[in-house]
C-alpha cells in the first residue's frame, strides 16, 4: 500500500465528504478510492470513517489521523520544495467559485495574464451567486461579496464592492425623480434575493453614517445579479446594484443614478478558503495573483 497516496485520498474524502467526489477530484475510479480507504483502515487497525447512506463522519481516531496527515503532507511538500525548484513551481488543478459579475467582468478577462505566469495550473471556475459548501463540493477557494460568516474559513480582503440606486429614464418620467427618502413611498422596486438569507433585500441607504432600510413594494424579485440588472433595465422600478454592473448603462444614459447623496453601504469582497486546508503552490499563486488584480482594478475603485 502506498501510504502517502492513502493519506492524500483520505484527506480528500474527508474534505469533500464523499467517496465519489473525492474520486472525481483525484481522477481515480470510485472503487479505487473505496479500496484505498478500506486497506488503510485495515493497516491501521482502526475505523477512520463512519459511513451511512447519507453522509460520512469521522471517528475520534479518524479526526486525529486527519489532522496529522494534513501536517505530514504539508511538511513533505515543504521539504521537497526546499530541494527542487520544479516542486515549488505552481502546477495542478484548482477549483474556484465566484459570483457571476466578478467572474465575468474581473476574473475571466485577466486569465490570459494568469495563464502566462502559471501555465501549469489548471483552473476550474464556477460562476454562481449561491453560497457553495466548499468542503462538500471540493472547492479550493471562493470569491465572495459580504461579511465572512463561517469561523472555519479564512477571508483575504480583495477590495470593497460599491453599490448605487438606479432607474431608467422612462421609469423616472412615470413616477418622478426621488429627491428624499420620503419620496420613495411613491415608488416600486426591483428586488434581489439574498444568497445569505434567501429573502428579498429591501433598499438600504447610508445616512449620516448610519444604514437606513426603506421598504417599498416590489414589482419583481430575482435571485441572479445579471437578471436583476436586466429587469431593472426594463423600467419596472428602482433597484440597487453593483456600480461596476451599472456603469456602462449610466454612461449611455440607459440608467440614471438616483439619491446619490445616500448611497448603499459598500460590502467587502474577499477570497475565502478553508482554515485547515494546506495551501499548495498553485493555490498560493492564485491567491496572490487575485489580491494584486482586485486591489488595482478600476471597476472596484468606487466613484472616485
Amino acid at each position: 500500500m502506498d501510504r502517502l497516496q492513502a493519506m492524500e485520498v483520505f484527506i480528500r474524502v474527508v474534505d469533500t465528504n464523499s467517496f465519489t467526489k473525492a474520486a472525481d477530484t483525484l481522477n481515480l475510479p470510485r472503487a479505487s478510492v473505496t479500496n484505498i480507504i478500506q486497506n488503510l483502515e485495515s493497516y491501521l487497525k482502526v475505523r477512520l470513517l463512519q459511513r451511512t447512506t447519507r453522509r460520512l463522519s469521522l471517528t475520534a481516531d479518524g479526526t486525529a489521523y486527519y489532522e496529522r496527515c494534513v501536517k505530514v503532507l504539508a511538511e513533505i511538500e515543504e521539504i521537497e520544495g526546499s530541494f527542487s525548484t520544479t516542486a515549488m513551481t505552481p502546477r495542478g488543478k484548482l477549483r474556484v467559485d465566484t459570483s457571476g459579475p466578478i467572474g465575468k467582468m474581473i476574473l475571466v478577462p485577466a486569465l490570459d495574464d494568469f495563464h502566462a505566469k502559471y501555465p501549469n495550473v489548471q483552473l476550474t471556475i464556477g460562476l454562481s451567486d449561491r453560497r457553495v459548501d466548499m468542503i462538500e463540493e471540493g472547492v479550493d477557494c471562493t470569491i465572495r461579496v459580504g461579511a465572512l460568516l463561517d469561523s472555519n474559513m479564512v477571508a483575504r480582503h480583495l477590495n470593497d464592492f460599491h453599490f448605487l440606486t438606479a432607474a431608467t429614464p422612462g421609469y423616472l418620467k412615470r413616477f418622478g425623480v426621488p429627491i428624499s427618502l420620503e419620496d420613495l413611498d411613491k415608488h416600486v422596486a426591483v428586488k434581489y434575493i439574498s444568497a445569505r438569507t434567501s429573502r428579498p433585500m429591501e433598499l438600504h441607504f447610508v445616512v449620516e453614517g448610519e444604514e437606513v432600510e426603506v421598504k417599498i413594494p416590489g414589482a419583481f424579485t430575482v435571485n441572479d445579479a445579471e437578471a436583476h440588472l436586466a429587469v431593472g433595465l426594463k423600467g419596472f422600478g428602482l433597484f440597487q446594484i453593483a456600480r461596476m454592473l451599472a456603469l456602462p448603462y449610466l454612461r449611455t444614459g440607459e440608467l440614471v443614478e438616483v439619491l446619490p447623496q445616500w448611497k448603499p453601504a459598500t460590502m467587502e469582497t474577499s477570497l475565502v478558503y478553508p482554515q485547515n486546508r494546506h495551501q499548495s503552490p498553485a493555490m498560493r499563486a492564485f491567491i496572490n495573483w487575485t489580491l494584486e488584480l482586485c486591489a488595482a482594478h478600476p471597476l472596484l475603485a468606487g466613484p472616485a
Side-chain angles (χ1 to χ4, degrees):
M1 180 181 66
D2 185 333
R3 281 183 283 175
L4 287 180
Q5 183 196 38
M7 288 181 182
E8 291 173 345
V9 170
F10 175 66
I11 289 173
R12 191 61 59 89
V13 169
V14 174
D15 285 349
T16 61
N17 196 37
S18 166
F19 281 77
T20 301
K21 290 176 182 176
D24 290 342
T25 59
L26 292 168
N27 292 320
L28 291 172
R30 188 190 187 285
S32 297
V33 171
T34 301
N35 289 335
I36 289 171
I37 298 301
Q38 288 175 345
N39 291 337
L40 180 62
E41 289 180 324
S42 177
Y43 175 80
L44 296 173
K45 296 182 175 57
V46 295
R47 175 63 65 87
L48 300 172
L49 295 164
Q50 296 287 358
R51 305 163 179 83
T52 68
T53 56
R54 301 195 64 176
R55 64 178 291 113
L56 301 172
S57 59
L58 284 167
T59 64
D61 289 327
T63 299
Y65 187 70
Y66 173 82
E67 292 173 353
R68 293 183 183 184
C69 283
V70 170
K71 292 179 181 178
V72 166
L73 292 180
E75 288 174 1
I76 289 173
E77 186 169 335
E78 186 175 344
I79 291 169
E80 290 177 342
S82 65
F83 290 97
S84 170
T85 303
T86 303
M88 291 303 291
T89 301
R91 64 177 62 249
K93 297 182 178 181
L94 203 63
R95 290 192 62 189
V96 178
D97 193 89
T98 180
S99 68
I102 292 176
K104 293 176 182 178
M105 300 179 73
I106 295 177
L107 194 62
V108 171
L111 286 182
D112 53 347
D113 175 69
F114 181 83
H115 183 67
K117 292 177 178 176
Y118 310 108
N120 297 315
V121 177
Q122 302 173 46
L123 280 181
T124 299
I125 303 174
L127 303 180
S128 171
D129 285 346
R130 70 182 180 89
R131 297 271 167 173
V132 301
D133 186 324
M134 296 178 63
I135 302 300
E136 188 166 328
E137 298 182 39
V139 174
D140 293 293
C141 59
T142 66
I143 301 173
R144 281 290 175 259
V145 178
L148 178 66
L149 298 178
D150 192 339
S151 60
N152 293 320
M153 298 291 170
V154 176
R156 300 287 300 274
H157 181 247
L158 298 174
N159 211 316
D160 290 327
F161 217 56
H162 297 266
F163 294 85
L164 53 82
T165 309
T168 62
Y171 171 85
L172 295 174
K173 185 175 180 179
R174 295 195 309 274
F175 287 83
V177 179
I179 58 174
S180 70
L181 297 188
E182 289 73 22
D183 289 344
L184 295 177
D185 290 340
K186 307 167 189 173
H187 289 265
V188 294
V190 176
K191 298 186 178 182
Y192 178 76
I193 296 177
S194 167
R196 186 178 304 172
T197 66
S198 299
R199 289 184 290 186
M201 298 174 65
E202 303 295 343
L203 300 184
H204 287 82
F205 303 87
V206 176
V207 180
E208 296 181 356
E210 297 291 329
E211 193 168 359
V212 176
E213 179 181 274
V214 179
K215 294 183 178 181
I216 63 176
F220 288 93
T221 303
V222 296
N223 67 348
D224 175 84
E226 290 172 296
H228 187 220
L229 170 63
V231 177
L233 285 167
K234 293 284 187 181
F236 288 119
L238 300 172
F239 62 112
Q240 293 186 324
I241 187 170
R243 175 183 174 274
M244 70 177 193
L245 278 175
L247 194 56
Y249 304 96
L250 294 172
R251 288 173 174 166
T252 62
E254 294 172 81
L255 286 179
V256 177
E257 183 178 4
V258 299
L259 301 171
Q261 68 274 42
W262 297 304
K263 295 186 184 295
T266 59
M267 299 178 73
E268 289 187 0
T269 306
S270 304
L271 189 147
V272 181
Y273 54 89
Q275 197 171 59
N276 63 352
R277 181 163 294 173
H278 171 63
Q279 289 184 24
S280 65
M283 187 165 172
R284 284 196 297 271
F286 180 78
I287 290 173
N288 292 333
W289 177 81
T290 306
L291 286 169
E292 184 177 344
L293 171 69
C294 291
H297 205 288
L299 288 179
L300 295 174

